[in-house]
């Protein structure tokens, strides 16, 4: 008789929830065993503290769930290195460029992909953690009991509310680059009855680095007018909304076209992307770009077409070039922006730094491009946007590290003060017994 096997289907949402519960149980067990072991060591040492108990604790940890955020953290790692400060960079990408860096004071480690990385982070021992990954204590990534402080740094020069719901709720601090971001955080805290976070205004390290790099470069060689199509990802993005219609409209012009999909599209939208790349292969008129470093493609492009991707501000504010933004009818439903009545800053500033492309003016996209390339009012709009969203130009990495070091010192001082109080109370009790 052949045995029959019955398989139970578990949907991804339920699977994620079960994994989260499992990680919680495992973490609790690890903490219980660790604490029990420490108590036994304390008892058998007759109450004497051992010097190397916390040798595996790191002063500063940086965590990223993807190699594409190395441009955000490299300036900060460089600053730690310059100051001789010990830090560890933890990445969930086995091919993260950081792993090839030859730092003396900053160590770089691959900690596994996906849930393996989150499981490692859930039991991390560190004083201060910096990350650009949203959703801590919401999804698989939980706050470790052995981390004193979690600070978040934004992916780009845009709204804090552009994250999925509750993305930054359970951080202790959010590093900002504009006053409007601080206002959004405070509004969400009030609506959700959350304690106030610290909101250091540090700026944008990755844009500072791009600017510094651009200042060192010569002007690009003469080339035909080049249009860069660099959308975000998800159902509201250009390639999902318009796809082949968008590419056909661009190919109807005389311009050179570069298409640079969002890196997440290669993972989450592989089928859609492969279909478009098959339909529109590389040619003299069109090229697909997937390089990890986008500096060169931004430098040699004359105008950018995007939707709500953060690359809009890299291109317009650092390279000082015009943009065209597509009307994709952005759905705020899944995002924190849904909770607030105010218009998102991103969509209020776009008309000042570019022109809108809609299905109605697709056929005149060439005229739209020409108009943007020769529009002095858009240059003024870019100045306004820099003022709104790019604080402390040229100094952000230094300010970020200043904040992290000062916060750690403050936490250690508080701990030492508490330890001193406990010792005094113990001595008082012993004296009263005598």
């Amino acid at each position: 008789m052949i045995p029959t096997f019955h398989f139970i289907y578990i949907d991804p949402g339920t699977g994620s929830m079960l994994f989260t519960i499992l990680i919680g149980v495992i973490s609790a067990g690890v903490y219980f065993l660790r604490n029990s072991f420490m108590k036994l060591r304390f008892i058998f040492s007759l109450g004497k503290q051992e010097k190397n108990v916390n040798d595996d604790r790191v002063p500063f940890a940086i965590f990223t769930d993807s190699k594409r955020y190395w441009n955000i953290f490299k300036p900060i790692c460089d600053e730690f290195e310059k100051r001789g400060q010990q830090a560890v960079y933890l990445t969930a990408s086995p091919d993260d460029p950081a792993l090839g860096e030859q730092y003396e004071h900053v160590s770089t480690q691959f900690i596994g992909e996906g849930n393996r990385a989150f499981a490692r982070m859930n039991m991390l021992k560190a004083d201060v953690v910096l990350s650009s990954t949203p959703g801590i204590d919401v999804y698989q990534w939980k706050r470790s009991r052995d981390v004193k402080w979690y600070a978040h740094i934004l992916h780009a020069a845009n709204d804090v509310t552009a994250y999925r719901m509750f993305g930054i709720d359970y951080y202790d601090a959010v590093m900002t680059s504009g006053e409007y971001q601080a206002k959004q955080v405070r509004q969400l805290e009030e609506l959700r009855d959350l304690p106030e976070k610290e909101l250091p205004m540090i700026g944008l390290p990755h844009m500072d680095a791009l600017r510094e790099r651009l200042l060192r470069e010569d002007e690009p060689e003469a080339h035909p007018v080049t249009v860069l199509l660099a959308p975000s990802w998800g159902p509201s993005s250009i390639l999902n909304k318009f796809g082949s219609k968008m590419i056909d409209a661009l190919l109807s012009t005389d311009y050179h076209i570069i298409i640079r999909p969002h890196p997440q599209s290669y993972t989450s939208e592989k089928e859609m992307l492969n279909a478009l790349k098959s339909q529109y292969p590389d040619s003299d008129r069109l090229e697909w770009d997937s390089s990890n470093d986008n500096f060169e493609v931004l430098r040699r492009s004359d105008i950018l077409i995007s939707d709500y991707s953060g690359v809009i501000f890299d291109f317009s504010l650092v390279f000082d070039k015009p943009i065209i933004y597509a009307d994709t009818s952005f759905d705020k439903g899944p995002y924190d922006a849904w909770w607030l009545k105010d218009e998102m800053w991103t969509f209020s500033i776009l008309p000042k730094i570019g022109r809108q492309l809609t299905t109605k003016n697709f056929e005149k996209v060439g005229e739209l491009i020409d108009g943007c390339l020769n529009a002095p009012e858009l240059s003024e709009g870019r100045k306004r946007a820099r003022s709104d969203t790019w604080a402390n130009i040229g100094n952000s990495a230094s300010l970020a590290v200043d904040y992290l070091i000062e916060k750690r010192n403050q936490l250690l001082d508080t701990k030492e003060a508490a330890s001193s109080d406990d010792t005094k109370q113990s001595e008082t009790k012993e004296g009263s017994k005598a």
Side-chain angles (χ1 to χ4, degrees):
M1 182 177 179
I2 300 175
T4 57
F5 297 93
H6 300 280
F7 296 95
I8 300 174
Y9 169 76
I10 300 177
D11 65 88
T14 303
S16 177
M17 180 183 68
L18 291 174
F19 180 84
T20 300
I21 294 172
L22 178 62
I23 286 296
V25 171
I26 293 173
S27 298
V30 169
Y31 281 116
F32 174 77
L33 292 173
R34 180 190 294 168
N35 290 338
S36 299
F37 179 66
M38 295 297 293
K39 288 178 181 178
L40 288 172
R41 290 176 68 174
F42 183 79
I43 292 169
F44 286 117
S45 65
L46 300 178
K48 297 178 181 179
Q49 291 288 345
E50 297 184 29
K51 292 183 180 180
N52 297 322
V53 166
N54 287 319
D55 277 356
D56 57 343
R57 172 178 289 277
V58 296
F60 303 99
I62 296 172
F63 169 62
T64 179
D65 61 314
S66 173
K67 65 180 181 181
R68 66 177 179 269
Y69 301 124
W70 174 233
N71 66 329
I72 296 171
F73 294 116
K74 186 180 188 308
I76 295 173
C77 288
D78 289 347
E79 186 67 22
F80 272 122
E81 179 71 11
K82 185 172 71 174
R83 299 190 191 193
Q85 286 283 344
Q86 298 296 321
V88 59
Y89 175 90
L90 306 171
T91 176
S93 293
D95 55 346
D96 194 315
L99 299 173
E101 292 286 339
Q102 299 298 316
Y103 289 127
E104 181 180 353
H105 303 286
V106 179
S107 65
T108 59
Q109 299 177 22
F110 168 59
I111 58 172
E113 297 178 90
N115 290 329
R116 286 184 60 193
F118 291 126
R120 170 78 180 275
M121 292 303 299
N122 292 348
M123 292 177 281
L124 180 70
K125 297 177 70 176
D127 293 330
V128 176
V129 172
L130 175 67
S131 181
S132 64
T133 303
I136 186 172
D137 252 12
V138 178
Y139 303 114
Q140 287 94 332
W141 184 22
K142 304 299 180 184
R143 290 176 62 108
S144 169
R145 300 180 193 181
D146 289 320
V147 170
K148 302 177 188 297
W149 195 260
Y150 285 92
H152 181 81
I153 188 167
L154 299 174
H155 294 159
N158 57 12
D159 301 79
V160 176
T161 57
Y163 286 133
R164 298 272 172 168
M165 286 189 186
F166 319 114
I168 49 93
D169 279 7
Y170 303 109
Y171 275 94
D172 300 301
V174 176
M175 294 182 174
T176 63
S177 64
E179 291 292 345
Y180 70 95
Q181 296 165 345
K183 179 182 176 183
Q184 291 172 347
V185 173
R186 293 291 181 243
Q187 288 175 322
L188 290 172
E189 289 169 345
E190 184 176 354
L191 283 169
R192 296 169 182 168
D193 195 25
L194 295 168
E196 285 195 351
K197 301 169 186 61
E198 291 189 4
L199 302 174
M201 181 81 69
I202 62 114
L204 295 159
H206 78 284
M207 281 177 53
D208 282 355
L210 275 178
R211 174 179 173 270
E212 183 179 344
R213 188 173 172 184
L214 182 64
L215 292 173
R216 295 195 302 265
E217 294 284 341
D218 296 328
E219 287 292 321
E221 297 180 0
H223 60 276
V225 173
T226 299
V227 180
L228 173 61
L229 176 63
S232 186
W233 68 283
S236 296
S237 66
I238 289 177
L239 291 181
N240 276 288
K241 284 277 187 175
F242 303 133
S244 59
K245 187 174 182 180
M246 178 81 243
I247 299 173
D248 286 338
L250 291 173
L251 288 175
S252 69
T253 70
D254 295 328
Y255 306 127
H256 183 73
I257 311 302
I258 302 174
I259 305 176
R260 180 181 170 84
H262 192 282
Q264 188 62 34
S265 293
Y266 288 96
T267 301
S268 302
E269 304 167 330
K270 191 178 297 185
E271 186 176 340
M272 176 273 293
L273 202 56
N274 287 341
L276 287 175
K277 293 182 75 170
S278 176
Q279 186 177 354
Y280 301 95
D282 284 288
S283 66
D284 292 340
R285 291 281 322 286
L286 181 147
E287 60 179 290
W288 293 83
D289 179 77
S290 59
S291 55
N292 189 58
D293 182 359
N294 67 359
F295 177 83
E296 197 56 42
V297 74
L298 294 177
R299 191 172 78 97
R300 64 188 179 94
S301 298
D302 299 291
I303 189 167
L304 167 72
I305 298 177
S306 189
D307 34 48
Y308 47 90
S309 172
V311 75
I312 284 176
F313 300 109
D314 293 350
F315 187 81
S316 61
L317 305 190
V318 177
F319 294 85
D320 199 27
K321 297 174 183 178
I323 60 106
I324 292 174
Y325 58 98
D327 175 15
T328 60
S329 301
F330 181 75
D331 177 16
K332 297 197 299 184
Y335 304 95
D336 270 327
W338 180 87
W339 291 74
L340 305 184
K341 295 179 181 178
D342 296 342
E343 182 182 22
M344 292 176 71
W345 176 84
T346 298
F347 296 117
S348 69
I349 203 68
L350 285 178
K352 297 178 176 62
I353 64 173
R355 297 284 183 264
Q356 188 178 53
L357 180 69
T358 69
T359 52
K360 294 180 180 179
N361 62 12
F362 265 179
E363 295 180 359
K364 298 181 180 180
V365 67
E367 295 177 20
L368 195 60
I369 292 170
D370 289 338
C372 286
L373 291 172
N374 302 285
E377 68 273 16
L378 297 183
S379 178
E380 290 300 314
R382 295 194 290 273
K383 291 180 183 177
R384 161 74 184 279
R386 286 190 197 96
S387 175
D388 284 353
T389 198
W390 193 358
N392 304 310
I393 294 177
N395 296 311
S396 57
S398 177
L399 290 171
V401 173
D402 282 346
Y403 171 78
L404 296 172
I405 292 174
E406 288 170 9
K407 174 50 61 177
R408 179 173 182 264
N409 289 339
Q410 178 187 336
L411 293 167
L412 293 179
D413 288 344
T414 302
K415 182 180 179 182
E416 288 173 3
S419 177
S420 176
D421 289 343
D422 289 342
T423 301
K424 289 178 182 178
Q425 289 177 11
S426 177
E427 290 174 351
T428 302
K429 289 179 181 179
E430 291 298 323
S432 63
K433 289 180 181 178

